[in-house]
Amino acid sequence: MRTATLSARSLTKRYGAGKALDNVSVDIAAGESVAVMGASGSGKTTLLHTLAGITSPDSGQVSYNGIDVTALNETGRSKLRREQFGFVFQAGLLIPELTALENVALALMLNGLSRRDAEAESALWLARLGLAGMENRRMGELSGGQAQRVAIARAQVTGAGVVFADEPTGALDSHTSADVMTALLQATSGRGRTLVVVTHDPTVAARCARTLFMHDGVLSPAPPARPAEVAGTGGGNLTAPAAGNPDAGTTFMAGPRGAQ
C-alpha cells in the first residue's frame, strides 16, 4: 500500500450529547481519491473539517505528511490550509463581486505572489478547466457548473497537496455533475494530488478510487445495514444532531428503505 499522506487516529468529536466522530481512524495515500458517504447528520462533514484542520477534535490526532495538525495553533492551521489544502464546497463560496480570474488569483496573492504573476497562473488553470475566454466574467454570469470549475481552479492553483470537496455537485443537475467530477478528478488525483469528497450521491462516490461510509459518527468500509422499521409505527423520525454540529440537517424519515 502507498504511504499515507493524510492520517487520522482515534478521532472523537461531540456536539451536545451525541458523537459526530466516534473513534475514527483512516489513512489516505498521496494521489488517492476517496469518497465519504453518509446521510445528513452521520458525521461526514465533521470528519472533513477535522481532517482539514478547520475543526479540532475532542481527542485523537490528524497528521499530514508528518505534521501533527491537531498540535498546531490556529495560526499554524490557517497557514497549512492556505498553503497545502484546497477546498471546493457545494455553494462554491466564490466572491460574486470578483471575476473568475480574480477569484482564483486571490488564493495566490494571499500567499504573497504579485497580482500579475497570480493572474497569469490563474488564467492557465481556468484554461485547463475549459474556461478560457471567461476570465472576466463575474459569478452571476457563469452557470453552476462553470462556477464550480472556478472553485476547482482556486483549490488547485496554489499546488495544494490535498483537496477537500464537500458536496461539490450537490446543487448541479446530473449531466453537469458528471462534468464537474471529471474536471475535479483530472485536476487532483489525475495530477498525483489527493482528493477527499464528502457526498450523499452514490454516482459521485463511484467515480473515486475508494468509498468509505459514515453512520452515527463511525467510519466503515461497508455501508450500514438498513435500519429496521419501528414496530407499529411504519418508520420513525430521526432528528438531526445538536446545534453547532456542521453535519446537522433537516429531519428525515427512516422506513423500510432506510434513510432517504
Side-chain angles (χ1 to χ4, degrees), residues 164-257:
F164 297 94
D166 191 353
E167 299 285 5
T169 65
L172 305 175
D173 62 69
S174 59
H175 178 74
T176 306
S177 172
D179 288 345
V180 166
M181 273 305 297
T182 296
L184 184 57
L185 287 164
Q186 288 175 346
T188 54
S189 57
R191 300 174 69 89
R193 297 167 183 174
T194 302
L195 174 64
V196 181
V197 178
V198 161
T199 183
H200 68 277
D201 187 343
T203 305
V204 169
R207 300 288 302 274
C208 295
R210 179 161 57 121
T211 300
L212 302 173
F213 299 86
M214 287 292 294
H215 180 67
D216 291 342
V218 176
L219 187 67
S220 165
R226 291 178 177 177
E229 184 173 357
V230 179
T233 65
N237 288 335
L238 302 182
T239 58
N245 185 347
D247 292 287
T250 55
T251 298
F252 59 94
M253 298 298 296
R257 297 182 61 193

Side-chain angles (χ1 to χ4, degrees), residues 120-132 135 149 152-153 156-158 182-183 186-187 191 193:
E121 182 64 23
S122 298
L124 291 174
W125 266 103
L126 290 171
R128 288 184 188 122
L129 291 164
L131 296 176
E135 296 88 349
R149 288 170 184 261
I152 294 168
Q156 282 291 264
V157 72
T158 60
T182 296
Q186 288 175 346
R191 300 174 69 89
R193 297 167 183 174

Side-chain angles (χ1 to χ4, degrees), residues 5 14 83 166 221 255 259:
T5 191
R14 285 185 177 274
E83 297 179 354
D166 191 353

